[in-house]
Amino acid sequence: MRPCSIGTPLPRVDAYEKVTGTTKYAADYYGRDMVWAGVKRAGVPHGILKSIDAESARQLSGVICVLTHKDVPGTNRQGVIRKDQPVLVDDKVRHCGDAVALVLAESRETLNRALDLINCDIEALPGVFDPEQALHGDAPLVHTDNAEGNVLLKGDLKTGKGPEAEEECDLLLDACFETQRQEHAYLETESGWARIEQDDKLVIVCSTQTPFRDRMEVAEALGMDMSRIRIIAPYVGGAFGGKDGVTVQSLLGLAALHSGGRPVKMWWGREESFLSGTKRHAARMYYRLGAKNDGTLHFLDVKLFLDTGPYDHLGGVVLALALEHAGGPYRIPNVLLKGWAVYTNNPIGGAFRGFGVPQVTAAMEQMMDMLAAKLGMDPVQLRLKNAVVKGDQNCAGKTLVSSTGVADCLETLSKHPLWTGRTGWKSNAGPFKRRGVGVAAVMQASGYGPVVPDYANAKLELTLDGRIRVYCGVVDMGQGNASTNVQIVGNILAQQADGIDIILPDTDQTLPSGSASASRCTYTFGNALIQAAETLKGRILQRAADLLMAPGKEDLAMIPGAVRHLKTGRELSLSRIAQLLNPAERVAVGYFRAPTATDDLGVPDDLRLHGFPHTLFSYGAHVALVEIDELTGAVDVKRYLAVSDCGNVMNPEIYEQQIQGAIAQSLGYALSEEFEVRAGKVLTPDFSTYTIPTSADVPEIDSIPVQVHEPTGPFGLKGAGEVATNGPLPAVANAVADACGVRIFRSPLTPERVLRAIREAEGKEPAE
């Protein structure tokens, strides 16, 4: 086996354990004398909690205790930016999935019986279920103490001349787009395990993207000293933003405080996860786009309404990113952006891969195709004509100073056979079939923005047996960053992957390194890890030089398991060197804080706090080839191409998996996934009614990296975790419009909606 090297494929270091089922996830933690914990949910969307009758449950044999808000010793509030969500409801119920009571029982069967025996007296209140209606003065208030009524966050930005630029346009287009809620649908539902240890420390093992932030939230909610809490995050069975924040953590901590020292387990079922977990924000987006006759974009007016549900849960951050990306990767000199993240009594809107960008990309990229059609222009050439390059300003007025490869992506796409051969492919549609080809250009910011420090701390250790141990502070939720960390360290220290061990996030062992989110893991932690590895390498070589009586480190090279003197060939094993180093010398740390935008855009402080603007972006260009059944309206994506600028590629295998996974997930968003809610009640409570793609639904995907070097990235890399998520919905929507000759302004593009569109085009039935 060769030492790890950057730019070459490296199989995931966790692959064998995962495919053989020996990897231990949070849901796999049990223990002798273990207690099960579970939650009674409100079941109504809005109301005053008058009382909780839990006596029957308490009397049930096998029930240890039933806890309510009166048993929560701290603030009983949790949240990332605005702490507005109770651990257990103490005043108002604000959505059907609110937690009202916590039960501890000897078995899961007893737990479920006890939950059924709890009765809550809830005085129903009128609810609010539409984000625009929630802004009306007479709308019911979700939080009566919120100074902005039902507004969680609003944004109002202007670049250039503003409204008067509209008069200078040769062409104006208007449209309203609506995108739906999406369920994360991860394999591992929310779960964890907790216990009070003998040293009085509360240990929580949980499925999370944010162990260090969880520790702070749990401490505040439960009134505990943070030093008394340890969060351990093993591998996560998928998250996509749904575990970016507390789910089971505070409830588990509260349960452990009442379990008499026994371990406690909480594991939400799929239906509970659907009811209580966060969703991709449903959005209503009003767009007005103006251009010159030659296709030059000149004016954009956008109004966004995001349904954030009853609690913050990063809804403000989602709005900030949506505003920042509302104009796509284009030069538009005059832009008006307005947006509202609005409280409702629907399920909680929260972080989801793309963080608000898939919604606005769907709108903007369809506007671009509509404009190209009006102008009679090739849609790729229209995009290329307006594509930002380094030094341009984006729609928010931010000057782009990092690598900017959207034009490279579009040019690569324009020469690909799937695009150049599209006319012939479309003409070969069979009987009762229609074919269409759609394109989309995408972008995605990475990191936390200008206010919240986006940093990471990496730690490395040379163990006494000569192995390298990597202490990872960021979670691997399936994206493969643990393996990438091995590759970085192996490349710098010239070690093979099997000589490197990984310690997964643990607030007592690893160092704070931020969340596994925002396409930041490898960019931020990788930079810190490079520092740590270079430091450790220097120490190892210096000590070896001393022992080998070499003039200096320059005469030596690290090889797998040893250091070699290049002139004489003499070697010293790493274990020998480790034994001669002081324990402190065997440990090296690195720190990196991501650069932030320094532009003065006149952005309000609250919007800056939520991450506006960013300075680093990844880009891409996508093509979807679809075939539509005229009789059923079913859309079959036959081929898909994604060209991506994610900087240099460290591991082609993991890069490919990120791009393909994002496209597969977002094809579901485009075609079938719709988390339906009516008056706050969930109408798609499980996988029998909520349809996600299977392997049979995913087409052959061509993925091409353009590898534009990013100077600030580790080995020239930028984030790849989210950018591909933004392409499938607009690319497929444009392809369906190309095939049908009529556009559908609401997603997903289900067979029913497509069939309606076809019939409308034929004058048989109005479209939705």
Side-chain angles (χ1 to χ4, degrees):
M1 182 183 289
R2 294 181 176 179
C4 302
S5 65
I6 298 299
T8 58
L10 173 70
R12 293 195 184 205
V13 296
D14 51 6
Y16 181 79
E17 291 181 351
K18 284 188 173 179
V19 299
T20 54
T22 57
T23 298
K24 198 170 182 180
Y25 296 85
D28 295 321
Y29 280 74
Y30 291 87
R32 299 179 64 181
D33 206 22
M34 194 188 75
V35 174
W36 281 91
V39 170
K40 178 71 176 180
R41 303 286 173 183
V44 298
H46 201 198
I48 302 294
L49 179 63
K50 309 291 284 188
S51 64
I52 303 169
D53 180 4
E55 279 312 303
S56 297
R58 289 191 174 98
Q59 298 303 319
L60 187 65
S61 175
V63 169
I64 297 167
C65 62
V66 179
L67 307 173
T68 70
H69 61 92
K70 297 176 182 176
D71 302 297
V72 182
T75 64
N76 190 30
R77 287 293 182 275
Q78 50 196 8
V80 178
I81 296 178
R82 184 176 297 189
K83 298 190 182 303
D84 55 6
Q85 182 176 6
V87 179
L88 292 172
V89 171
D90 52 6
D91 53 1
K92 284 179 69 179
V93 167
R94 296 182 176 87
H95 82 122
C96 289
D98 264 335
V100 179
L102 177 65
V103 177
L104 279 66
E106 299 286 353
S107 69
R108 211 168 187 180
E109 293 72 23
T110 302
L111 171 67
N112 292 332
R113 288 178 60 196
L115 291 173
D116 288 340
L117 292 173
I118 297 174
N119 292 306
C120 300
D121 181 9
I122 300 172
E123 180 185 334
L125 293 172
V128 59
F129 307 107
D130 181 277
E132 281 193 88
Q133 294 176 8
L135 298 179
H136 294 171
D138 59 351
L141 292 177
V142 179
H143 295 273
T144 54
D145 59 348
N146 185 39
E148 299 292 329
N150 284 326
V151 176
L152 167 64
L153 182 69
K154 61 182 177 184
D156 188 348
L157 302 163
K158 169 188 167 186
T159 64
K161 299 175 182 176
E164 56 266 36
E166 181 178 328
E167 304 296 327
E168 300 169 354
C169 297
D170 298 319
L171 189 64
L172 286 165
L173 290 172
D174 290 279
C176 175
F177 301 89
E178 292 193 72
T179 57
Q180 75 282 19
R181 292 177 191 81
Q182 186 181 18
E183 164 65 32
H184 297 85
Y186 20 68
L187 284 173
E188 182 192 29
T189 56
E190 296 83 348
S191 60
W193 179 99
R195 183 168 64 187
I196 302 292
E197 301 286 1
Q198 290 185 345
D199 59 1
D200 204 32
K201 179 168 278 192
L202 169 62
V203 176
I204 301 175
V205 181
C206 54
S207 187
T208 178
Q209 297 171 239
T210 53
F212 287 92
R213 198 172 69 207
D214 294 351
R215 183 172 60 164
M216 290 189 288
E217 283 197 61
V218 172
E220 187 170 346
L222 300 186
M224 297 178 64
D225 190 311
M226 200 167 67
S227 64
R228 275 193 61 204
I229 300 173
R230 176 184 182 186
I231 305 285
I232 299 172
Y235 283 115
V236 174
F240 314 113
K243 298 167 185 172
D244 191 351
V246 166
T247 57
V248 299
Q249 292 87 325
S250 297
L251 294 165
L252 269 173
L254 179 63
L257 293 174
H258 292 81
S259 68
R262 299 167 66 182
V264 183
K265 184 181 183 71
M266 176 177 283
W267 187 1
W268 294 358
R270 184 63 64 181
E271 290 77 8
E272 187 174 18
S273 175
F274 270 42
L275 175 66
S276 307
T278 60
K279 318 299 171 197
R280 186 185 298 286
H281 283 69
R284 187 174 298 136
M285 302 169 285
Y286 297 92
Y287 268 68
R288 185 169 177 78
L289 179 64
K292 301 290 188 179
N293 279 329
D294 66 353
T296 302
L297 299 181
H298 189 69
F299 174 71
L300 177 67
D301 185 350
V302 176
K303 294 181 179 63
L304 307 175
F305 297 92
L306 302 184
D307 184 346
T308 206
Y311 304 117
D312 180 357
H313 213 287
L314 294 170
V317 179
V318 172
L319 173 66
L321 264 83
L323 286 168
E324 189 174 5
H325 293 73
Y330 305 115
R331 286 183 303 276
I332 312 176
N334 308 289
V335 177
L336 299 172
L337 300 174
K338 291 185 178 180
W340 296 263
V342 186
Y343 285 127
T344 68
N345 296 113
N346 290 320
I348 307 169
F352 199 134
R353 199 176 193 175
F355 259 87
V357 183
Q359 293 93 321
V360 294
T361 305
M364 184 64 194
E365 288 304 303
Q366 292 189 73
M367 293 297 291
M368 290 297 285
D369 255 34
M370 293 162 63
L371 178 62
K374 283 283 185 184
L375 293 168
M377 285 186 70
D378 178 299
V380 172
Q381 294 307 314
L382 175 66
R383 288 171 169 86
L384 264 172
K385 183 180 184 66
N386 294 283
V388 289
V389 297
K390 189 174 181 178
D392 280 340
Q393 291 184 342
N394 64 14
C395 76
K398 166 77 181 71
T399 300
L400 301 171
V401 296
S402 59
S403 57
T404 307
V406 63
D408 304 77
C409 294
L410 285 163
E411 285 170 357
T412 301
L413 180 152
S414 70
K415 299 168 186 170
H416 194 278
L418 288 183
W419 182 249
T420 58
R422 65 190 183 283
T423 303
W425 182 80
K426 289 196 293 184
S427 66
N428 286 326
F432 305 108
K433 302 287 186 183
R434 298 185 185 188
R435 287 179 168 182
V437 178
V439 64
V442 299
M443 62 186 290
Q444 181 76 44
S446 64
Y448 296 158
V451 177
V452 177
D454 188 2
Y455 67 88
N457 294 281
K459 177 180 167 185
L460 276 180
E461 180 183 5
L462 173 63
T463 64
L464 289 174
D465 58 356
R467 298 179 64 80
I468 305 298
R469 185 171 293 161
V470 184
Y471 293 82
C472 296
V474 286
V475 173
D476 188 335
M477 51 190 177
Q479 75 272 42
N481 58 297
S483 297
T484 303
N485 295 336
V486 168
Q487 194 167 9
I488 291 172
V489 171
N491 180 80
I492 294 173
L493 300 181
Q495 299 304 300
Q496 299 167 344
D498 62 2
I500 302 172
D501 301 321
I502 288 284
I503 302 297
L504 296 174
D506 177 337
T507 57
D508 272 13
Q509 290 198 71
T510 59
L511 301 176
S513 295
S515 59
S517 65
S519 296
R520 62 175 294 279
C521 288
T522 302
Y523 177 81
T524 310
F525 189 77
N527 270 318
L529 195 56
I530 288 172
Q531 285 187 26
E534 294 287 0
T535 300
L536 186 60
K537 179 180 179 181
R539 289 180 190 163
I540 292 172
L541 290 178
Q542 187 58 60
R543 183 54 55 93
D546 295 343
L547 294 169
L548 292 167
M549 291 185 284
K553 295 186 292 184
E554 302 74 27
D555 294 340
L556 306 175
M558 292 192 70
I559 61 174
V563 173
R564 175 179 295 164
H565 186 240
L566 295 173
K567 292 180 180 177
T568 64
R570 289 182 297 158
E571 295 181 0
L572 273 176
S573 69
L574 291 182
S575 60
R576 175 66 175 157
I577 295 170
Q579 290 162 12
L580 296 170
L581 286 170
N582 182 285
E585 293 178 300
R586 292 191 286 106
V587 175
V589 297
Y591 171 84
F592 179 77
R593 182 168 175 173
T596 56
T598 57
D599 312 56
D600 182 8
L601 306 181
V603 178
D605 288 344
D606 59 348
L607 205 54
R608 282 172 52 78
L609 175 65
H610 286 81
F612 193 109
H614 291 78
T615 196
L616 187 66
F617 297 87
S618 299
Y619 297 91
H622 292 202
V623 170
L625 280 66
V626 307
E627 186 171 85
I628 297 171
D629 189 317
E630 292 180 331
L631 303 179
T632 65
V635 178
D636 186 5
V637 180
K638 307 298 286 188
R639 290 290 300 274
Y640 200 95
L641 166 66
V643 185
S644 307
D645 162 30
C646 300
N648 290 345
V649 175
M650 282 193 191
N651 185 332
E653 284 187 5
I654 289 180
Y655 166 83
E656 190 71 22
Q657 291 159 2
Q658 284 282 44
I659 300 298
Q660 297 221 10
I663 291 168
Q665 185 176 46
S666 295
L667 285 176
Y669 184 48
L671 294 172
S672 63
E673 294 186 41
E674 183 166 20
F675 192 86
E676 293 194 59
V677 177
R678 184 179 302 154
K681 296 275 189 178
V682 176
L683 302 182
T684 48
D686 51 40
F687 281 138
S688 70
T689 50
Y690 185 84
T691 308
I692 62 174
T694 68
S695 58
D697 301 307
V698 178
E700 182 180 345
I701 298 172
D702 291 359
S703 172
I704 301 174
V706 297
Q707 304 210 60
V708 180
H709 181 82
E710 169 50 43
T712 66
F715 302 102
L717 168 146
K718 292 190 290 188
E722 294 177 284
V723 64
T725 303
N726 305 323
L729 174 51
V732 169
N734 286 334
V736 169
D738 182 43
C740 299
V742 62
R743 186 165 297 277
I744 302 167
F745 292 93
R746 182 186 179 90
S747 58
L749 304 175
T750 59
E752 293 82 0
R753 288 179 178 138
V754 173
L755 194 58
R756 278 178 177 270
I758 292 173
R759 289 181 175 175
E760 180 200 55
E762 295 172 343
K764 293 179 180 177
E765 186 177 336
E768 186 177 344

